[in-house]
Amino acid sequence: MSKMEGKKERDGREGKGAELDALILEAQTLSSQMGFKTESVIQRNPTQLLESTQRLSARVETEGQVDPAKAHYLLARRGFDLEKQQKNLGAIEQATSYGSSEAPLADSDLDGFLRQRRAQTVVAAIEEARGRTTAAFDAHFARVTQSDWEEARTDLLEGLGHLKQPTESLRALSLSRSAEQDQALDRRAFRLYGWVIRQLNFARFPGTQRRARALARAEGEEDGLSYPADEDRFVLIPALVRVAQTLRGHAPSALQSITASWRLLQDVGGGQDGVLRERAYVEDHHVGRAVLRRRLMERTCASFERHRRELVRSFVSQNPRKAERGGEPGFRHDVESYLRLSRPSELPGRERWAPWEEVFYCLRCGEWGEALQVVKERARDREFEDALRESQVEAGGAGEAVLAALRAKYSSATEENPFREACYNLVGRCDPGWSSDAVLATIEDYLWYRLSLAHAAGDRGDQLRKLQQEITRWGPEYFEDPLLYFHILLSIQCYEEAVKFLLREAAYQTEAVHFALVLYYVGLLRQPLEDPRPNVLSGTENDRPFLAFARLAQDYVSHFAHDDAEYAFQYLLLIREEPRRVETVRDLLLDTRSFDLLAGSRDGSVARPGLVAVFLGERAAQAVYREAAQEACCRGHIYDSVMLFVFAEQYTDALAIINRQLSRVLSLRVRPEDRTRTMDFASRYRDYLHRVRPKVAGHEQKKLDDLYNSLELLLWLACFFDAHYNNDDDRALQIIAKLGLLPADRGARALQQASDRFDSLDDDVKRAFSDILLVTMKVLHRLYQQSDSGADYSAWASTLVAFCSKVEYQITPDATAELTRLALLMS
């Protein structure tokens, strides 16, 4: 029985221990959820805790009351903070009911809950979007501000001479005025090149005046440059070559290189005969980039072939005996004689290479038909003959079957023959990476070979791009001669880089400008889509280089514009973009002030047009004059602004400026020369307006009449002030009384009429009204002192004081005080 009870007791203790384990685990979970942090955990199992509790309870029962301090000490030794645990236990809220806390579904407001959640979501999304937008704006603003600051800082430091910016700008590439460049850019070079550009513009604008064309030709003939009277027979590039030869400013080798580059550019541009019209260029070059790229490669290869063909014939004709040409027709015999003269007989393998060497040089000279004859007669290669024949006939080259047979034979060949390999690659593209110094002996041969392969490869342009990267990686140091490197860049269609490179060479900057001019004229020089900063000449836009021709031309003509404004205008006339052309011609007008030459004359009864109107037409010229007038006004050039507004037939704008300027100097005594100049200018313009007023109609006529009346009034007021300053008070009083600006008596009607007249005055007249009243009062005061009675003057003075009360918002406080003082002196 006792064993059964003991077992039950142990089972009870074990059950209580399990319950205590669950309770401790639950307490720990609850403590972590409520954020309580226990300082330490007593590492005892529930059975041990129960036994310890029983022993402690038994000890308390036997020993009686236990000292609390001792209990705290004993618990503290075990790492247990009694006070803290009591606070933690007191923070626990015991639930009075363990039922479900969820409300019945029927009593729930689901629509309201969803509306609230939707509103919260929308508000949260708006706040998030606002935060992102604000952050993006702040970041963009910071970037723009930093960029603007860096640009302004760089410009400031460059202006002070503390920084040399290594960017492609007009400062870095512009034409300086050093002694070395002054020698290359002398007045004669400017005049001769300018004459050629003027001849080009005469051909572009057939309606220009014959007198100007005759003067231009006479001027050219004096310099040794005469051309036929028919402008359609004028050719631009040969004329530029003749100028370079006439100047004789370079060594013969340099002049030969420049001529070769001009010939290449003429061949690539497609202009051989007559004046090349820009419309034809637009039709020729405004095609797809791939089509244009292949067309330019084809023309470049044709130019290289023509040059080598001329070289072969010239070399053979100069050595007839050694060449042993004979009288047989066909270019292949010229090639055979050329090889006999140029190749040494002891060259290893020459006998084996001979047929293919002739085939290669026939291909190199563009004579594919002659090459086919050599293959038939001497090389006897059936696969190559078929491929060469089909390449001649078919626009897209030989067929795939023929090319496959040719490439198979190329791969299986064991005999080394570099000329044969070159011919196979040119016709069948068997090995695009092949190269041999024995065959491609010159840089022109190498370029012709690579461009021929790139042209035959199709529209992808990968091989041309690789060639461009290869040449630019070598750099100008590899070629030593800057003109040779420039020629190579032209050959591989790096036109912008070629011009930029030649601009850095001080001795060839004039040639660089005119190469850029021709490239721009034929549509090969890429222009920026957006107008760059004023000092930027070149850069990259959409991963494609550009060179702003308008900036380059403006910088170039600035060196002689003050001496030869006409030639400077001819260069700017080539700019096709209307806004940039207007801007550059506007600056030329303002900087040179050559109004008679460029804008003409408007003084006489018959207007004489200037060069701007002759070449661009009256409407386009007026747009230029209007832009120039507004810019002159911003710069503070008042008289130039008025003149240009007259040229633009904006008479009201010109008259408003004159009235404003006349109002400012109306009563001026400190600088009488400014006042006199303004008076004379206003008087001349009034006479001119008297003649042109009948031509103005509509609403503009009424506005012009009002401004003209204000000008008349201001001129009479100037006479009034002149009479006062000359102590002619009687005349001054007569003028002011005649104008009727001031009341003569104190009657209400007279004051009201004067007030209404004042309200109708122009602002330029009102601006000087304080001086008018004050001078009138001084005139009355002096006449009062000179007269016996002075009653009339005193009454008029009182009337002026009364009138001031009606217009005092236009009268300065000092003037009002002085008027009152003088009136009191006369009372």
Side-chain angles (χ1 to χ4, degrees), residues 474-485 488 501 505 508:
W474 290 347
E477 296 80 8
Y478 179 84
F479 301 97
E480 297 181 354
D481 183 6
L483 291 176
L484 175 59
Y485 185 66
I488 293 171
F501 167 75
E505 300 293 325
Y508 306 113

Side-chain angles (χ1 to χ4, degrees), residues 332-333 372-380:
R332 62 184 181 277
H333 300 293
L372 184 60
Q373 291 298 324
V374 176
V375 172
K376 288 180 179 180
E377 296 174 2
R378 302 183 58 187
R380 293 185 175 87

Side-chain angles (χ1 to χ4, degrees), residues 713-779:
L713 181 58
L714 288 171
L715 289 174
W716 274 110
L717 288 174
C719 296
F720 163 72
F721 282 106
D722 288 340
H724 167 66
Y725 294 146
N726 295 329
N727 296 321
D728 192 354
D729 295 327
D730 292 330
R731 174 167 171 75
L733 196 61
Q734 291 176 1
I735 293 175
I736 199 66
K738 180 180 179 181
L739 295 177
L741 293 177
L742 305 176
D745 58 73
R746 298 193 60 176
R749 183 176 179 181
L751 291 176
Q752 185 61 40
Q753 289 178 350
S755 179
D756 295 341
R757 173 72 189 278
F758 175 81
D759 293 337
S760 64
L761 293 177
D762 190 72
D763 290 339
D764 296 320
V765 180
K766 292 180 180 179
R767 193 177 295 113
F769 212 75
S770 295
D771 295 332
I772 296 172
L773 285 172
L774 192 57
V775 170
T776 304
M777 187 66 78
K778 289 180 180 180
V779 168

